[in-house]
Amino acid sequence: MAEPVLINGEWKQANASSTFQSFNPNTTEPIPFEFPVSSWSDCDEALSAAAAAASELRTLSGSQIAAFLRAFADRIEARADQLVEAAHQETALPKSPRLADVELPRTTNQLRLAAQAAEEGSWRQATIDTKAGIRSVYEAIGPVAVFGPNNFPFAFGSVSGGDFAAAIAAGNPVIGKANSSHPRTTQLFAEAALEAIQATDVPAATVQLIYRTSHADGERLVADNRLGAVGYTGSRSAGLKLKAAADVVGKPIYLELSSVNPVVILPGALNERLDELVDEFCTSGLMGAGQFCTNPGLLVLCQGAETDAFLQKVAERYGSSAAGTLLSQGVQKSLGQSVQTLQAAGAETVVGSAKPESNRFACENTLLKVTADAFLARPEQLQTEAFGNCSLVLIANDVSQVGQVVQHLEGNLTGCIYSATNGTDDAAYNQIAPALRQKVGRLLNDKMPTGVAVSMAMNHGGPFPATGHPGFTAVGIPASIHRFAVLACYDNVRSHRLPNCLQDKNPNGKMWRYVDGQWTTGNIG
Amino acid sequence: MAEPVLINGEWKQANASSTFQSFNPNTTEPIPFEFPVSSWSDCDEALSAAAAAASELRTLSGSQIAAFLRAFADRIEARADQLVEAAHQETALPKSPRLADVELPRTTNQLRLAAQAAEEGSWRQATIDTKAGIRSVYEAIGPVAVFGPNNFPFAFGSVSGGDFAAAIAAGNPVIGKANSSHPRTTQLFAEAALEAIQATDVPAATVQLIYRTSHADGERLVADNRLGAVGYTGSRSAGLKLKAAADVVGKPIYLELSSVNPVVILPGALNERLDELVDEFCTSGLMGAGQFCTNPGLLVLCQGAETDAFLQKVAERYGSSAAGTLLSQGVQKSLGQSVQTLQAAGAETVVGSAKPESNRFACENTLLKVTADAFLARPEQLQTEAFGNCSLVLIANDVSQVGQVVQHLEGNLTGCIYSATNGTDDAAYNQIAPALRQKVGRLLNDKMPTGVAVSMAMNHGGPFPATGHPGFTAVGIPASIHRFAVLACYDNVRSHRLPNCLQDKNPNGKMWRYVDGQWTTGNIG
């Protein structure tokens, strides 16, 4: 009997066309739970329930939505051991510190920040023109379908992560589509969410869960008229298919697709702190077997003796470090394919070659190198994301050629430049940074990109094809909430009919509003 | 000899595949200027020049961009008579008050508001997390292609209007694609823009102009890698083709497509002020021969004796008012087709029938009516926008059926409810408003939608297919500027390398920044 789906507050048997299982990456053995591949009728039922829930959610206050988010965070903490165990089984991510001490607190922190944002209301950017009698505000967009990725079963999970928290904070119900590599973990989150729903004022269909659909039904789901928007994090190929389906009907879809996250180390920096940089790069590159959206997949250096020394030390470290376990057979397979693509395009193997292991999902740590000349001849193939424990080192003749390489980069989530502290790299920095700035959502100095702080100033986004739109971020509250909102204007609407947040009296004395060109937490008049 | 295009600061002969002329709608005679249909090489040249200009613009201050916008506004005023004359010839819009006293001042006002926004910088929403060392800000997206509509040759013009002002304020160069019905007017604006370019610090390619391309080249243009974004206002069919081309490459495209702008008049309001409402509706419906994006094309009433009386008076007014001149033969033709579509779907003709005149571009004022039952049977056809002097009156059995009608509406720019002042309509309002709110960008009370105030709280936007994304507005500064910006994050970037607006010192003491969760114009630390 397949595990039930969560639709409109009830765990019920799916209308399933088939079933699937997740696998323990440390053993390659299937995990003994069968999950349904839902037919369209499950999606249809979830969409109708979500549409009704969306209307009901619009009548609730920010505090009521916050109460649900906090109750959910509490229940996640109460189930921490169970969640960590299930996620470890399904993903092989270490229980500690990774799952229990890093990702779980990050997840509950996000939910509580989202609660605070929903309650305070400043994210709505209420804008009031008292003379014209026009007032506008961000309001809920409607039901949001969230497709979570494989690599963060908690913090980016379909019914627990950043997209989820942002969609709920904006006042929308969520239909979660579990990632196929950790359905059991997602199910446990949905159980906790349902308990929180039952303990608070939000409607039963505020959180729903299906595990998998056919590709055709997935495309039908994201284009459905009852849906408000979509959040997707995952492979570029699957994401672009969903985007095409959503675009035809003008449905906002926020995608996080792929990124090689170029890191440029300028000669002065290498000269100044070579060993430190070896350590920083290898730690970041191999962390979590390289399975981060912000993994530094492309390292750019200028040729020279220090670069040779650096490369040799990195090669030693890659060669001698134990290869981390990969999240799934799919990751193992696609890593091998990407490495082959890179090699076929001219990348030379320094160590490893992504050879798969048979008793667990893993490949050797792999370090490739390529000249900038070769890169410039085949920039598209040589930017193939090798998701996993593989890095490509690009060696340019000089800083000017680094500039050319940067011009040929696709859109990325991040880009980083390391430079000397004594100013010797400053001219080179100024030559490269303006172009790199245009290619990335987040520009870093002297810091690897793997950490994505949950900060109000974070941008976990960037130009296509890193994401679907360069104006939005998937991490960072309040900005990430805007993805799941519409701009709603009230023109000459009678005062008592305005939403609380647009009335003359500031609803809680804390909500920032833009009144006649000034940001204020005060009342009007 | 065809008129020249403006590329990279020079008026030069186009690489033209053919030529076209505009027509005087008051005579149907061609106007004696020939304009080129540019080949791809013109687009290609403009794109390269724009890409270089975009880099240069990033190095200028907001004040330098503001100086250009103000110089341009001054030059528009200096050429006011010439612009008004040309636009009157090409569009038949009255010289006064419409062109000279309403649209021209609106246009220069928009440019000066954009200048103020560029200079002050608050639109950038600089967000600073001092503890995390992360700072983010909206920055220019890159060259913007603007496709202006036929109905506002000044205020929405490709190189003078709202999209233009917003794109420039964000720091982007603009490639204008003239509307084919008023190329001469657009050319004159580009001449004024070039003078302003030459008088200020902005690069030569800050404003470029082509008049027309093939459809294929238009689609190639919006998908080009050198372009940052697109602003389009016009027909739904052409807009959706450009959107499809842009979507494939993840290029932000902001569209304003079509809208019937439903107006609901509740029974109590009709009972209370019938004559006033007849006047308001007829004035709004026939203003400018109905050629406004926010023309009230769909009027929704409940059956009854007052509704019969209202309809009779509106019919008299439509029948006795002179039919305004239409903007072009294209408008005349498509109005006739839309009326036929509505009639074929069951709409009954009350007065007029969109019969075209032969000595000018015009059709009879046309009033159609349909029952809500008929509408609900064919909601798609009966929402066909009849752009021009035609209105459809929908008569419902009761308020509850009005609610059903609202559920079947597509996305619109505006939606309006008139209700009695004595409270008798309040229950009906509460029954209808929540659903109408979800279908429109701007909700009005007791006011026709045709006026679109240039207010910071305006939303000239709405759900698809009224626009391409429900989170953005095409009118209203600063919000409209966000369309042409990307979110740019700086993580651990050394202080002296940050853009001015993200440094600890507030760059001008006026720019609002969101610092550690508080909006402030102060310095940090």
Side-chain angles (χ1 to χ4, degrees):
Chain A
M1 191 72 136
E3 294 300 309
V5 291
L6 177 59
I7 294 182
N8 203 14
E10 289 183 25
W11 287 103
K12 49 168 279 185
Q13 279 310 117
N15 187 337
S17 58
S18 60
T19 62
F20 71 100
Q21 289 176 280
S22 55
F23 292 79
N24 183 331
N26 274 323
T27 64
T28 77
E29 294 296 322
I31 291 171
F33 287 94
E34 292 217 357
F35 292 93
V37 178
S38 281
S39 300
W40 174 250
S41 67
D42 283 354
C43 303
D44 186 58
E45 218 179 307
L47 284 162
S48 287
S55 295
E56 198 178 332
L57 281 165
R58 289 177 202 282
T59 68
L60 301 188
S61 69
S63 298
Q64 286 172 301
I65 287 166
F68 161 71
L69 287 164
R70 290 180 183 129
F72 185 29
D74 292 345
R75 277 159 183 79
I76 290 170
E77 283 163 353
R79 284 170 176 256
D81 291 346
Q82 187 191 22
L83 288 163
V84 166
E85 182 60 41
H88 174 65
Q89 289 283 320
E90 293 192 314
T91 65
L93 293 170
K95 290 188 195 177
S96 179
R98 166 67 192 257
L99 289 168
D101 308 308
V102 178
E103 196 175 334
L104 195 130
R106 180 188 175 100
T107 306
T108 51
N109 176 43
Q110 276 181 165
L111 291 167
R112 292 191 177 110
L113 285 171
Q116 191 186 326
E119 191 159 52
E120 184 190 288
S122 300
W123 74 269
R124 294 182 174 275
Q125 303 206 342
T127 300
I128 297 175
D129 182 335
T130 58
K131 281 184 197 150
I134 303 176
R135 301 177 182 219
S136 65
V137 69
Y138 281 121
E139 293 186 355
I141 200 169
V144 176
V146 177
F147 295 71
N150 55 9
N151 61 341
F152 279 91
F154 297 172
F156 285 82
S158 309
V159 294
S160 59
D163 283 359
F164 172 87
I168 299 278
N172 305 295
V174 166
I175 299 173
K177 204 294 264 169
N179 187 284
S180 295
S181 66
H182 52 257
R184 173 64 179 154
T185 306
T186 313
Q187 183 184 26
L188 293 174
F189 274 108
E191 286 179 9
L194 182 57
E195 290 168 12
I197 287 169
Q198 289 163 345
T200 57
D201 298 334
V202 301
T206 298
V207 184
Q208 300 182 93
L209 176 65
I210 53 178
Y211 302 97
R212 195 191 265 188
T213 66
S214 68
H215 291 316
D217 285 341
E219 290 167 29
R220 189 172 171 190
L221 174 68
V222 301
D224 194 275
N225 197 35
R226 289 162 288 184
L227 202 69
V230 183
Y232 170 93
T233 309
S235 79
R236 193 193 289 192
S237 58
L240 290 182
K241 280 180 194 143
L242 294 179
K243 172 172 158 58
D247 283 344
V248 168
V249 294
K251 186 83 60 194
I253 180 165
Y254 302 96
L255 307 151
E256 193 196 315
L257 297 175
S258 60
S259 185
V260 298
N261 303 298
V263 172
V264 178
I265 302 185
L266 292 173
L270 213 52
N271 186 41
E272 188 179 79
R273 44 194 157 116
L274 192 145
D275 286 335
E276 199 180 307
L277 292 172
V278 169
D279 189 56
E280 275 189 57
F281 173 71
C282 292
T283 302
S284 178
L286 294 178
M287 185 192 298
Q291 299 166 110
F292 287 90
C293 1
T294 53
N295 178 265
L298 181 66
L299 182 63
V300 182
L301 301 162
C302 292
Q303 66 179 0
E306 259 111 12
T307 290
D308 294 343
F310 175 86
L311 198 55
Q312 192 184 330
K313 291 188 179 201
V314 170
E316 280 163 18
R317 179 86 167 263
Y318 268 58
S320 64
S321 300
T325 302
L326 298 173
L327 291 157
S328 68
Q329 188 163 32
V331 170
Q332 180 180 266
K333 188 177 162 196
S334 98
L335 175 57
Q337 287 169 341
S338 295
V339 169
Q340 280 176 10
T341 301
L342 293 166
Q343 287 168 332
E348 190 185 319
T349 305
V350 183
V351 291
S353 63
K355 184 165 156 263
E357 296 184 20
S358 59
N359 58 343
R360 60 172 188 144
F361 299 138
C363 293
E364 294 167 304
N365 295 330
T366 302
L367 189 70
L368 306 175
K369 72 172 180 181
V370 72
T371 64
D373 289 332
F375 179 89
L376 291 169
R378 293 185 171 179
E380 196 184 325
Q381 295 93 319
L382 286 163
Q383 284 180 78
T384 301
E385 184 186 37
F387 187 79
N389 49 337
C390 170
S391 311
L392 175 63
V393 181
L394 187 154
I395 298 176
N397 297 332
D398 51 28
V399 168
S400 157
Q401 201 180 28
V402 172
Q404 282 179 268
V405 166
V406 169
Q407 293 288 358
H408 284 79
L409 290 175
E410 294 186 326
N412 276 278
L413 294 171
T414 70
C416 176
I417 305 176
Y418 279 81
S419 59
T421 55
N422 63 6
T424 52
D425 286 327
D426 281 10
Y429 182 94
N430 294 337
Q431 202 177 329
I432 291 162
L436 185 60
R437 171 72 279 179
Q438 304 317 311
K439 303 287 188 174
V440 305
R442 176 163 58 114
L443 179 70
L444 300 102
N445 278 185
D446 311 304
K447 184 180 172 186
M448 287 292 158
T450 18
V452 182
V454 180
S455 157
M456 69 192 74
M458 175 51 66
N459 179 18
H460 192 61
F464 186 84
T467 80
H469 193 298
F472 295 96
T473 176
V475 174
I477 289 168
S480 67
I481 304 176
H482 293 152
R483 295 175 298 160
F484 303 116
V486 300
L487 190 56
C489 175
Y490 296 81
D491 186 347
N492 200 42
V493 169
R494 298 185 195 173
S495 170
H496 68 284
R497 292 172 176 167
L498 289 168
N500 275 344
C501 58
L502 289 180
Q503 294 191 3
D504 284 356
K505 186 173 180 312
N506 188 298
N508 56 19
K510 292 177 188 167
M511 180 180 177
W512 285 98
R513 307 192 296 178
Y514 194 57
V515 179
D516 296 331
Q518 309 288 316
W519 285 98
T520 171
T521 56
N523 300 324
I524 293 167
Chain B
M1 193 73 135
E3 295 299 309
V5 290
L6 177 59
I7 293 182
N8 204 13
E10 288 183 26
W11 288 103
K12 50 169 279 184
Q13 279 310 116
N15 187 337
S17 59
S18 60
T19 63
F20 71 100
Q21 290 177 278
S22 54
F23 292 79
N24 184 331
N26 275 322
T27 65
T28 77
E29 295 296 320
I31 292 170
F33 288 93
E34 292 216 359
F35 292 93
V37 179
S38 281
S39 300
W40 175 249
S41 66
D42 283 354
C43 302
D44 185 58
E45 218 179 305
L47 283 162
S48 286
S55 295
E56 196 177 334
L57 281 165
R58 291 177 201 283
T59 67
L60 301 188
S61 68
S63 298
Q64 286 171 302
I65 287 166
F68 161 72
L69 286 164
R70 290 181 183 126
F72 185 29
D74 292 346
R75 277 158 182 81
I76 289 170
E77 283 163 355
R79 285 170 176 256
D81 292 347
Q82 186 191 22
L83 287 163
V84 166
E85 182 60 41
H88 174 66
Q89 289 282 321
E90 292 192 315
T91 65
L93 293 171
K95 291 188 196 178
S96 177
R98 165 68 192 256
L99 289 169
D101 308 308
V102 179
E103 198 176 333
L104 195 130
R106 181 189 175 99
T107 305
T108 51
N109 175 44
Q110 276 181 164
L111 292 167
R112 293 191 175 109
L113 284 171
Q116 192 186 323
E119 191 158 51
E120 185 190 288
S122 300
W123 75 269
R124 294 181 174 276
Q125 303 205 345
T127 301
I128 298 175
D129 182 336
T130 58
K131 281 185 198 153
I134 303 177
R135 301 176 184 220
S136 66
V137 69
Y138 280 121
E139 292 186 354
I141 199 167
V144 176
V146 177
F147 295 72
N150 54 11
N151 61 342
F152 278 91
F154 298 172
F156 285 82
S158 310
V159 295
S160 59
D163 283 0
F164 171 86
I168 299 278
N172 306 295
V174 166
I175 300 174
K177 204 297 262 166
N179 188 284
S180 295
S181 66
H182 52 258
R184 173 65 180 152
T185 306
T186 313
Q187 183 184 25
L188 293 173
F189 273 108
E191 287 180 10
L194 181 57
E195 290 168 15
I197 287 169
Q198 288 162 346
T200 57
D201 299 334
V202 300
T206 298
V207 184
Q208 300 182 96
L209 176 65
I210 54 177
Y211 302 99
R212 196 191 264 188
T213 66
S214 69
H215 292 314
D217 284 342
E219 290 167 30
R220 190 172 170 189
L221 174 68
V222 301
D224 193 276
N225 197 36
R226 289 162 288 185
L227 202 70
V230 183
Y232 170 93
T233 309
S235 79
R236 192 193 291 191
S237 58
L240 291 182
K241 279 179 195 142
L242 293 179
K243 172 173 157 57
D247 283 342
V248 168
V249 295
K251 187 83 60 195
I253 178 166
Y254 302 97
L255 307 151
E256 193 195 314
L257 297 175
S258 60
S259 186
V260 298
N261 303 299
V263 173
V264 177
I265 303 185
L266 291 173
L270 214 51
N271 187 40
E272 187 178 78
R273 45 194 158 117
L274 192 144
D275 287 335
E276 200 180 305
L277 292 172
V278 168
D279 189 56
E280 274 190 57
F281 173 70
C282 293
T283 302
S284 178
L286 294 178
M287 185 193 299
Q291 298 166 111
F292 287 90
C293 1
T294 52
N295 177 266
L298 180 67
L299 182 64
V300 182
L301 301 162
C302 292
Q303 66 179 3
E306 260 110 11
T307 290
D308 294 342
F310 175 87
L311 197 56
Q312 193 183 331
K313 290 188 179 200
V314 170
E316 280 163 19
R317 179 88 166 262
Y318 268 58
S320 64
S321 300
T325 302
L326 297 173
L327 293 157
S328 68
Q329 189 164 31
V331 170
Q332 180 179 268
K333 187 176 161 196
S334 97
L335 176 57
Q337 286 170 340
S338 295
V339 169
Q340 280 175 10
T341 300
L342 293 167
Q343 287 168 331
E348 190 184 319
T349 305
V350 183
V351 291
S353 64
K355 186 167 155 260
E357 295 183 20
S358 59
N359 58 343
R360 61 171 186 144
F361 299 139
C363 293
E364 296 166 301
N365 296 328
T366 302
L367 189 70
L368 306 175
K369 72 172 180 182
V370 72
T371 62
D373 289 332
F375 179 90
L376 291 169
R378 293 183 169 180
E380 194 184 327
Q381 294 93 320
L382 286 163
Q383 283 179 78
T384 301
E385 184 186 37
F387 187 79
N389 48 339
C390 170
S391 311
L392 174 63
V393 181
L394 186 155
I395 298 175
N397 297 332
D398 51 28
V399 169
S400 155
Q401 202 181 26
V402 172
Q404 282 179 267
V405 167
V406 169
Q407 292 289 358
H408 285 79
L409 291 175
E410 292 185 329
N412 276 277
L413 295 170
T414 70
C416 174
I417 304 177
Y418 279 81
S419 59
T421 55
N422 64 7
T424 53
D425 285 328
D426 281 10
Y429 183 94
N430 292 337
Q431 201 177 330
I432 292 162
L436 186 60
R437 172 71 281 179
Q438 304 318 312
K439 304 288 187 171
V440 306
R442 177 164 56 114
L443 179 70
L444 301 100
N445 278 186
D446 311 304
K447 184 181 173 187
M448 287 292 159
T450 17
V452 182
V454 181
S455 157
M456 69 194 72
M458 175 52 67
N459 179 18
H460 192 59
F464 186 85
T467 80
H469 193 299
F472 295 96
T473 175
V475 174
I477 289 167
S480 68
I481 304 175
H482 293 152
R483 294 174 298 159
F484 303 117
V486 300
L487 191 56
C489 176
Y490 296 80
D491 187 348
N492 201 42
V493 169
R494 298 184 196 174
S495 169
H496 69 282
R497 293 171 176 169
L498 289 168
N500 275 345
C501 58
L502 289 180
Q503 294 191 3
D504 284 356
K505 187 172 178 314
N506 188 298
N508 55 19
K510 290 176 188 169
M511 180 179 178
W512 285 99
R513 306 192 296 178
Y514 194 57
V515 179
D516 296 330
Q518 309 288 315
W519 285 96
T520 171
T521 56
N523 300 324
I524 293 168

